[in-house]
Each structure stands twice: as C-alpha cells, then as structure tokens.
Amino acid sequence: MGSILKAVILIGGPQKGTRFRPLSLELPKPLFPLAGFPMIYHHIEACSKVENLKEILLIGFYQPSESLTHFISSTQQEFKIQIRYLQEYTAMGTAGGIHHFRDQIMSGNPEAFFILNGDVCGDFPLADMYDFHRERSAGIRTTIMGTEATMQESVKYGCLVENPETHEVLHYVEKPGTFVSSKINTGIYLCSPDIIHDLNDVWRRQQEENFNG
C-alpha cells in the first residue's frame, strides 16, 4: 500500500445575491443539480478514482443542514470513502480555510492533498495530475491544473505563463486588465505538505502586520 492522499473541496457558503433563486432557497449551492447529480458529486466521484485517496474534506461556512448531511452520508456509502464537513466560523478564503483546518488535513500524514473549488465543472483528470506532480516532486510545493481559454475569456480568470519545457509557472496574474496568457487556472491544485508551513508563515506575518499596523 502506498502513501495516502487526501482531497479538500472548498464549498463556500450562503450567498447574499439572488442570482440562483428560487433554487438557492432550497439547496446550498454545492448541491445544485448538474448533469443529473449535485455539483460536488462530480468532484467526489473523480476523487474516488484516485488510488490511495482515503479522505475528502468539505470546507465551507454553510450551517449543517439535513440536505448536506444526507448527501455526505449517501455519497460516502456509494464511493466507500471517508467524507467529512469542516465548518468555518466565517468566510476565510482558500488559504485561510486550509490554514485553519491544517491539523485535520495533515492527520494521517498524507503524501499530498488535492484542493478543488466546489464550483468548478470539468473532467477532473486527477490521477494524471498526481502522476505529473510525482514526476516533478523534487522541491515542488504545488501543481496547478491549467486549461486553454480564448483571449477574450482568459482575462476573467487567473492567467498562467509557464516554461514550455519544465511547465514551471513563471508569471501569474489574477483576472488581468489586459491579455497575459491563454492558459488559465482551473481552480484545482495538488499540494505537498510543505505548503502548510508556507501558509503558516504567511498567516503569521499577516497577523503581525495587522497587530502592528
């Protein structure tokens, strides 16, 4: 048996807007039906196909509800994989949620962990992503899954400029005002445990700056 992997799915929380009404009055956004299944069902299905992925953590700030509890229970039974919901006390953002629940993520000493934004739709080639990450594991903290977009669409997303030979990210701009690259961030990451230490350092510096500022 190889080293274990984990996955974190970021599901956000209640929205103040009305774009998804009346659907949002009945269901949290991660459970909106998409292609016949709740949105994050597709994430969990993809994770279940990755060898040695033993646990999926849902992180968000929704209040626990009957619909979410039932979904977790039924999906856990279907895919025979441990699924837990970790509730934030407030919206923390990607890095904040990972930092706050770092002990739960690192429990069991996983070799690496996926991070998936809950509102991403796609094929989720996670096994291929893991193979890519392992082949380049020396000194690599994070692998970002990218995809191609049109010039017009690319500026709506995080844009990546990569070394075509090594695939190292040379430049990254979030929603640039002008065209940077047709390669965009899909919101799916594979992180080595060292990233936790980096986040701790960043979090500590931010707290010190806020305190001293």
Side-chain angles (χ1 to χ4, degrees):
M1 180 177 173
S3 302
I4 71 167
L5 300 170
K6 291 191 179 186
V8 174
I9 302 175
L10 304 172
I11 65 172
Q15 304 295 314
K16 293 182 179 179
T18 59
R19 287 183 303 157
F20 295 107
R21 289 185 179 177
L23 194 59
S24 59
L25 298 176
E26 301 292 333
L27 287 172
K29 184 180 174 183
L31 300 186
F32 285 4
L34 180 68
F37 295 94
M39 189 182 298
I40 59 171
Y41 176 96
H42 303 284
H43 300 63
I44 294 170
E45 182 180 33
C47 290
S48 73
K49 296 177 181 178
V50 178
E51 187 176 3
N52 291 329
L53 199 153
K54 300 300 183 184
E55 184 177 45
I56 299 171
L57 302 173
L58 309 179
I59 296 180
F61 55 101
Y62 287 99
Q63 291 294 325
S65 64
E66 183 177 343
S67 59
L68 185 58
T69 301
H70 174 74
F71 169 78
I72 291 172
S73 176
S74 61
T75 310
Q76 185 170 249
Q77 291 178 15
E78 178 178 354
F79 292 111
K80 304 297 188 291
I81 192 168
Q82 177 73 24
I83 304 172
R84 289 194 291 146
Y85 176 48
L86 304 177
Q87 184 185 358
E88 300 171 321
Y89 58 85
T90 186
M92 293 181 165
T94 300
I98 299 300
H99 172 79
H100 186 71
F101 293 112
R102 60 194 180 279
D103 291 341
Q104 288 90 331
I105 294 170
M106 295 311 301
S107 174
N109 194 29
E111 174 192 349
F113 58 95
F114 291 93
I115 302 174
L116 302 91
N117 281 318
D119 56 0
V120 173
C121 305
D123 294 332
F124 302 120
L126 301 184
D128 292 341
M129 188 179 187
Y130 173 60
D131 291 340
F132 178 93
H133 185 81
R134 288 196 70 184
E135 289 169 4
R136 298 161 175 81
S137 60
I140 299 298
R141 294 284 205 270
T142 303
T143 296
I144 304 173
M145 185 181 294
T147 192
E148 291 289 331
T150 65
M151 182 180 294
Q152 292 79 8
E153 286 294 313
S154 67
V155 295
K156 301 176 183 178
Y157 303 91
C159 294
L160 306 159
V161 177
E162 65 170 342
N163 181 315
E165 296 181 1
T166 65
H167 301 290
E168 178 185 3
V169 175
L170 304 175
H171 187 52
Y172 182 89
V173 184
E174 186 67 31
K175 298 179 181 177
T178 58
F179 177 74
V180 172
S181 168
S182 60
K183 182 85 70 177
I184 64 170
N185 178 5
T186 64
I188 301 174
Y189 312 87
L190 180 54
C191 301
S192 299
D194 287 341
I195 198 70
I196 296 292
H197 303 301
D198 296 336
L199 290 176
N200 288 346
D201 291 341
V202 171
W203 191 266
R204 192 180 307 112
R205 285 199 302 270
Q206 288 180 340
Q207 295 301 103
E208 291 173 355
E209 289 172 2
N210 290 339
F211 180 77
N212 295 328

